[in-house]
Amino acid sequence: MLWRVRTTLVDRPGILAEIALACGRAEVNILALQVFPTSPRVTDELVVSAPTGWTDVMVAQLFEAAGGSDVSATRVSDASVADATTRYLRGVHEVLEEERDIASVLHELLETEPPDVADYAGHDVMVLNRRSGSELRISRAVPFTEVERARAQALVSLVGDAGADVPLIVPSNRDAVPLLRVAGLTDIEAVSAMHERCSIDTLYERYQVPLKMPMTTRMARRLVVPDHGTALVVQVGTDVVGHGVLELIDETWTFQLIVEDAWQRRGLGTRLMRLAASHAKDAGAARLTFVTAGSNDRLLRAVGRAGFVARVERHDGNVHITVPLREVRSIAATGSG
């Protein structure tokens, strides 16, 4: 039977030896230990294995008799023995890669359940600040240490744009000059914000499915750093107002783009197409296929304005517009990207 014990001790040499000796005499085995400095005293957290039949009160009394104060004892599972750093790194992975809710991950990391601890005196509340300005509250019967608060805040700050954080919804500044360039990881938040500003119709023309908002960090990261290609963006000031993904799919180079509603009909889609064509040619492509929903006539017009000779085909309700790249200049020749 495993217990997590939180106790405050006088910060002096030998105090842990006294705790270990008391546990050894009671046949309570110490399996893990964390030290949370709280000068001039210290808070220690131990995971211990106690004999069958022991209760939280019995475990707490053992540590109190050995010199501990403010002792709490909580039943835990085998997962509590795992290294704390490893658990938090795994938590980051679960939020970013498995799209788990960050609040759920923190509840597991901080072990907010069960609340039935010895000498229960009410919940402690941890208030964490998201990058969006909103707050995330986590409560637990056992008081949080400053180290735990710092760990949790660092996790929220690192992955706070995933899931629940709301991207910017203010329209972009239309006076600045658009810049076309290759996207990178620093564009994750700006690309998410652009999608939040787009209408349902614009999103459907790009993805051919109703897109769930707000966008997760995992999806935004794939949009700016695709597995088999290059992402391009149109930047205006600090905002991204257009985006496209150039990818090699089943030996066919494809390009799918989106321009937010307020910036449509200004030639940005045509410029993105030309830049994508140059990148595709540099990658060895002989032709490039633009893919869109069947009702998107704007893409057809943009292809014409770009000066491409196109072959138009329909596949499963989508339009595939394939253009040869013989006359397209490379990136070095155009000076773009």
Side-chain angles (χ1 to χ4, degrees):
M1 187 175 297
L2 300 185
W3 299 88
R4 180 181 300 282
V5 180
R6 181 74 60 85
T7 180
T8 300
L9 303 170
V10 177
D11 192 5
R12 63 172 175 79
I15 186 66
L16 281 178
E18 296 173 15
I19 295 291
L21 181 60
C23 288
R25 288 171 175 168
E27 298 185 352
V28 171
N29 190 25
I30 299 174
L31 302 176
L33 169 67
Q34 288 191 75
V35 178
F36 302 107
T38 54
S39 181
R41 299 169 70 81
V42 63
T43 297
D44 284 2
E45 182 179 273
L46 306 93
V47 177
V48 302
S49 173
T52 301
W54 277 58
T55 66
D56 53 356
V57 173
M58 294 170 64
V59 174
Q61 288 175 340
L62 170 66
F63 280 81
E64 288 172 351
S69 62
D70 300 322
V71 180
S72 63
T74 311
R75 280 289 307 276
V76 293
S77 67
D78 292 341
S80 298
V81 183
D83 172 68
T85 302
T86 303
R87 294 179 66 219
Y88 272 81
L89 289 173
R90 188 179 298 119
V92 172
H93 174 84
E94 290 173 355
V95 174
L96 295 181
E97 298 297 333
E98 300 176 13
E99 302 184 17
R100 286 195 59 195
D101 178 65
I102 189 171
S104 175
V105 171
L106 280 171
H107 278 294
E108 289 185 3
L109 290 172
L110 296 167
E111 295 184 276
T112 59
E113 298 292 343
D116 52 337
V117 299
D119 301 322
Y120 173 65
H123 278 74
D124 187 16
V125 179
M126 178 189 297
V127 180
L128 305 170
N129 298 312
R130 298 180 187 269
R131 281 187 282 180
S132 67
S134 62
E135 293 182 345
L136 173 61
R137 293 174 175 265
I138 305 290
S139 62
R140 190 178 68 185
V142 179
F144 297 108
T145 66
E146 291 305 312
V147 173
E148 288 178 310
R149 294 177 189 274
R151 285 175 181 169
Q153 183 60 67
L155 179 60
V156 170
S157 298
L158 178 62
V159 300
D161 56 327
D165 276 10
V166 180
L168 300 173
I169 59 174
V170 179
S172 311
N173 177 11
R174 300 187 64 177
D175 297 327
V177 177
L179 169 67
L180 277 72
R181 60 175 176 80
V182 174
L185 287 174
T186 56
D187 296 308
I188 285 179
E189 290 189 9
V191 168
S192 296
M194 183 207 70
H195 281 77
E196 183 72 8
R197 295 191 297 265
C198 290
S199 67
I200 295 176
D201 290 341
T202 294
L203 293 172
Y204 186 82
E205 287 175 349
R206 164 61 176 90
Y207 297 98
Q208 293 87 56
V209 294
L211 190 63
K212 180 181 178 181
M213 284 294 173
M215 178 178 291
T216 64
T217 299
R218 184 182 184 185
M219 180 177 182
R221 185 170 59 180
R222 287 180 175 176
L223 289 177
V224 299
V225 186
D227 293 335
H228 305 289
T230 303
L232 306 174
V233 293
V234 182
Q235 180 179 341
V236 177
T238 59
D239 293 326
V240 167
V241 303
H243 170 268
V245 176
L246 176 67
E247 285 186 292
L248 181 61
I249 301 176
D250 296 331
E251 299 184 354
T252 299
W253 281 97
T254 65
F255 186 65
Q256 292 181 274
L257 65 94
I258 182 172
V259 177
E260 72 170 80
D261 298 63
W263 283 86
Q264 293 175 8
R265 299 178 180 85
R266 294 166 65 101
L268 298 182
T270 298
R271 293 178 62 185
L272 273 173
M273 288 179 176
R274 289 171 178 158
L275 182 58
S278 295
H279 277 280
K281 185 168 185 177
D282 281 358
R287 59 189 62 85
L288 177 61
T289 299
F290 303 102
V291 182
T292 185
S295 58
N296 188 1
D297 294 332
R298 289 195 303 273
L299 187 67
L300 286 167
R301 293 193 294 269
V303 169
R305 287 193 296 269
F308 295 127
V309 177
R311 182 180 76 249
V312 180
E313 299 174 308
R314 292 187 179 272
H315 297 276
D316 299 325
N318 295 329
V319 172
H320 288 211
I321 306 168
T322 302
V323 301
L325 302 179
R326 291 187 302 271
E327 306 301 323
V328 173
R329 291 190 297 170
S330 68
I331 293 298
T334 61
S336 301

